[in-house]
């Protein structure tokens, strides 16, 4: 049972890690395509508020999908 839980966690965290990476790359690609350096002036020098949460934009729906299909609980 512990081996199954460990394998499931490793696979789930790997999927979430890839989702974080893809989410970050996607927002960066959209900003470059729009020729925008910062998405807001609230956090100057940090790329804006969107750069602080861009990885979550894809990671949260992926985590929810894994939860719905009972991969993680």
């Amino acid at each position: 049972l512990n081996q199954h839980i460990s394998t499931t966690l490793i696979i789930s965290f790997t999927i979430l890690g890839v989702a974080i990476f893809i989410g970050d790359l996607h927002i960066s690609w959209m900003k470059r395509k729009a020729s925008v350096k910062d998405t807001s002036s609230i956090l100057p020098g940090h790329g804006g508020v969107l750069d602080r949460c861009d990885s979550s934009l894809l990671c949260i729906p992926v985590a929810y999908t894994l939860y719905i299909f009972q991969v993680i609980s």
Side-chain angles (χ1 to χ4, degrees):
L1 182 66
N2 285 339
Q3 181 67 23
H4 174 70
I5 293 172
S6 298
T7 304
T8 303
L9 285 176
I10 290 171
I11 291 170
S12 298
F13 289 153
T14 301
I15 291 170
L16 291 174
V18 169
I20 289 170
F21 183 68
I22 290 172
D24 188 36
L25 286 179
H26 182 69
I27 296 299
S28 296
W29 172 77
M30 287 176 31
K31 285 173 44 178
R32 282 194 178 93
K33 189 173 180 181
S35 298
V36 175
K37 178 164 174 45
D38 290 341
T39 54
S40 73
S41 59
I42 295 173
L43 296 171
H46 287 271
V49 174
L50 193 56
D51 267 2
R52 298 292 105 199
C53 63
D54 55 1
S55 56
S56 300
L57 293 175
L58 186 60
C59 184
I60 290 172
V62 169
Y64 184 68
T65 303
L66 291 173
Y67 175 74
I68 290 296
F69 288 109
Q70 297 179 350
V71 177
I72 57 176
S73 55

